[in-house]
Amino acid sequence: MIATAVCKSRLIACRILDRCRRAQGQTSVMSMLDRCGRVCRFSVTEVVKKLSGEGAGSAEWFTSTGNEHSQIVSFVLTCEESAEKLQPMCCGVMNRFQLANQPVPKILYVDSGCCRAQGLTAVETLFQPWVDNGMVVRLDIFHWIHRFDAAICTGSHSKCAMFKSALAGAVLAEQLKHHVRRVTLRAQETFQLVHLAIEKLQGPTGLDENGASLFRTPEAIDEMWAAQQRHLECIQDPPDMNMYRVAHTNNVDVPYYKRLRGNSLEGFHKTLPNMIPGT
């Protein structure tokens, strides 16, 4: 039974690796070492959930590390989401950077485990050599915004898009209009804008054409906002770092900016069910 489970995991990993290579234009994993990245992304997704049999109720987790070049630097399929299972992959990623003579990344964006009252977080412990050398762990803005979904009545509410747009606008400000280059606002300004948006949408402005409120209850959105305020500093850009690079220019020499901030792996993770039979 154990041998069968191991073979299945290896098969799944081979399928994922094959798709990764195809998506990156048949680029070998080792050839990417000269572009490891200065901004990395660490994300965990549940991809296989066992519904019956001996493993009913358990799941397998796909954890990946990407960079600002939209490349998957490394990934692993584990039977549980734990530091013990993820440590080998994290050590391997740090060793690859060192062997490639690449500097320690400046930022590691995560979807959870970014802030703690004292001591190191689980992610900081996994990448402690990098943290000791100046790398900071930051919460991805995309995930911070979507945490508010738990306080929203339904995603199909007519005011939902307005609220999400207000949250994004409270965090990001356009630096160069028409060139898609934005910088984060200060934490205090973000607080004021989010607080104002929530206060406004708790009233008549937050009702749809049927009179239904955007939020589940006033208490639900108040509790969510109170919990997310501690991340306001975490989602800000480092003050001394440019979070965009010029990807290319068009025929009239107008630069196209590629963001480095939280280069999300969500698009890649959404394709995983198509790679794995039975998901």
Side-chain angles (χ1 to χ4, degrees), residues 101-118:
N101 198 27
Q102 293 293 299
V104 171
K106 293 183 178 294
I107 306 176
L108 179 68
Y109 280 103
V110 297
D111 47 26
S112 62
C114 54
C115 299
R116 190 174 179 178
Q118 54 184 334

Side-chain angles (χ1 to χ4, degrees), residues 245-272:
R245 64 181 175 87
V246 178
H248 60 79
T249 56
N250 59 21
N251 294 331
V252 292
D253 293 330
V254 176
Y256 175 84
Y257 292 101
K258 179 80 172 179
R259 66 186 175 92
L260 307 183
R261 184 188 308 107
N263 199 8
S264 181
L265 299 171
E266 297 304 312
F268 175 68
H269 284 182
K270 285 180 181 179
T271 67
L272 292 177

Side-chain angles (χ1 to χ4, degrees), residues 28 97 129 137 145 151 170-171 229 251 255 272:
S28 67
F97 271 68
V137 176
I145 291 175
V171 179
Q229 287 178 33
N251 294 331
L272 292 177

Side-chain angles (χ1 to χ4, degrees), residues 125-136:
T125 301
L126 287 170
F127 292 95
Q128 187 165 354
W130 279 359
V131 173
D132 291 343
N133 280 279
M135 185 189 76
V136 295

Side-chain angles (χ1 to χ4, degrees), residues 41-47 60-66 75-83 85-86 89-90 109-113 123 126-127 143 265-266 269 272:
R41 177 80 168 84
F42 184 80
S43 182
V44 182
T45 300
E46 179 185 309
V47 293
E60 290 183 348
W61 301 81
F62 183 85
T63 304
S64 55
T65 303
F75 65 87
V76 65
L77 190 68
T78 60
C79 58
E80 62 184 59
E81 186 184 7
S82 68
K85 302 298 182 183
L86 296 176
M89 184 200 76
C90 297
Y109 280 103
V110 297
D111 47 26
S112 62
V123 176
L126 287 170
F127 292 95
H143 283 280
L265 299 171
E266 297 304 312
H269 284 182
L272 292 177

Side-chain angles (χ1 to χ4, degrees), residues 21-233:
R21 285 171 173 168
R22 292 183 184 182
Q24 295 181 12
Q26 303 298 330
T27 303
S28 67
V29 174
M30 294 304 294
S31 68
M32 294 189 294
L33 286 175
D34 61 335
R35 285 171 35 127
C36 289
R38 61 193 179 103
V39 177
C40 289
R41 177 80 168 84
F42 184 80
S43 182
V44 182
T45 300
E46 179 185 309
V47 293
V48 181
K49 187 172 183 179
K50 300 178 180 65
L51 301 178
S52 61
E54 185 176 344
S58 63
E60 290 183 348
W61 301 81
F62 183 85
T63 304
S64 55
T65 303
N67 61 21
E68 71 263 34
H69 305 294
S70 301
Q71 296 171 328
I72 305 299
V73 177
S74 186
F75 65 87
V76 65
L77 190 68
T78 60
C79 58
E80 62 184 59
E81 186 184 7
S82 68
E84 178 186 359
K85 302 298 182 183
L86 296 176
Q87 189 67 60
M89 184 200 76
C90 297
C91 289
V93 170
M94 290 186 286
N95 287 337
R96 286 177 57 189
F97 271 68
Q98 186 175 5
L99 290 171
N101 198 27
Q102 293 293 299
V104 171
K106 293 183 178 294
I107 306 176
L108 179 68
Y109 280 103
V110 297
D111 47 26
S112 62
C114 54
C115 299
R116 190 174 179 178
Q118 54 184 334
L120 296 175
T121 66
V123 176
E124 288 174 333
T125 301
L126 287 170
F127 292 95
Q128 187 165 354
W130 279 359
V131 173
D132 291 343
N133 280 279
M135 185 189 76
V136 295
V137 176
R138 295 289 175 95
L139 177 63
D140 180 40
I141 296 173
F142 171 86
H143 283 280
W144 183 80
I145 291 175
H146 280 277
R147 288 182 177 187
F148 286 87
D149 289 349
I152 294 176
C153 183
T154 172
S156 60
H157 195 283
S158 61
K159 300 301 175 65
C160 182
M162 178 192 298
F163 180 54
K164 292 293 184 67
S165 178
L167 290 176
V171 179
L172 299 167
E174 290 184 336
Q175 189 181 55
L176 294 177
K177 196 173 182 180
H178 308 305
H179 294 272
V180 202
R181 187 182 180 188
R182 297 184 292 178
V183 296
T184 54
L185 300 170
R186 295 176 302 165
Q188 185 60 36
E189 189 171 354
T190 296
F191 170 83
Q192 293 173 351
L193 291 172
V194 174
H195 184 78
L196 180 62
I198 291 175
E199 189 177 58
K200 194 77 172 176
L201 290 170
Q202 280 183 317
T205 305
L207 303 179
D208 64 8
E209 57 275 8
N210 296 317
S213 175
L214 169 64
F215 304 120
R216 294 181 184 276
T217 63
E219 294 76 19
I221 186 60
D222 287 342
E223 289 176 8
M224 178 58 68
W225 174 221
Q228 297 311 312
Q229 287 178 33
R230 70 190 183 108
H231 297 294
L232 292 180
E233 291 288 349

